[in-house]
Amino acid sequence: MNLLLLASALLGFASAIGHAYLGERFVLAPLFKAPGDNRVLKTATSRRLIRWVWHLPSFAWAQIAGATLWLALDPAAMGERAQTLLLFLGVGVYMTGAVFNAWAMRGPHVGNILLTLASLALWFAITGGSRPFD
């Protein structure tokens, strides 16, 4: 079993669960509880849409983490092309989330740290530190 793949999967799951649970508790619930004069937040349809958009990154991170865990537990399950796809999709999604989180938070935050580590672990696990097409 590749420990870097396992680490990437666990970090991806931690990011997804933390974003979904903590976001629901500390961002969405207070936002929806006190909408103030914002008519968008008073509409049930808008609240459902905002909630879905909030949880979409968590869902994507969990799917990538699941595929990474599958590869970690059964290396023969994926061919080289599938691993390359997982590499670019996983690193692309994780690092995009990390960069935008760092930008939004204006600095280090547990979310961008976990996603960066998940991305780097996935990269080094699949490539061994080299470029994937060498």
Side-chain angles (χ1 to χ4, degrees):
M1 177 185 331
N2 188 320
L3 292 180
L4 284 174
L5 285 174
L6 186 60
S8 178
L10 293 176
L11 290 162
F13 281 128
S15 297
I17 292 167
H19 185 263
Y21 175 74
L22 296 173
E24 192 67 45
R25 182 168 178 183
F26 295 110
V27 177
L28 296 177
L31 184 67
F32 296 154
K33 187 175 182 178
D37 293 334
N38 190 330
R39 65 180 189 193
V40 173
L41 294 176
K42 292 180 180 180
T43 309
T45 304
S46 295
R47 287 193 306 270
R48 284 192 303 269
L49 180 63
I50 290 167
R51 179 169 275 122
W52 168 247
V53 170
W54 179 272
H55 290 296
L56 189 59
S58 302
F59 180 75
W61 299 334
Q63 297 304 306
I64 293 166
T68 304
L69 182 61
W70 181 29
L71 180 59
L73 297 176
D74 186 8
M78 287 187 192
E80 188 176 321
R81 293 180 76 194
Q83 288 182 32
T84 302
L85 178 63
L86 175 62
L87 172 69
F88 285 106
L89 182 65
V91 170
V93 170
Y94 283 159
M95 283 307 287
T96 300
V99 167
F100 280 108
N101 181 282
W103 174 79
M105 296 300 193
R106 302 291 192 251
H109 176 265
V110 67
N112 59 53
I113 293 168
L114 290 177
L115 289 170
T116 299
L117 292 173
S119 177
L120 291 173
L122 182 58
W123 177 269
F124 285 108
I126 293 179
T127 68
S130 66
R131 293 189 342 222
F133 298 114
D134 285 345

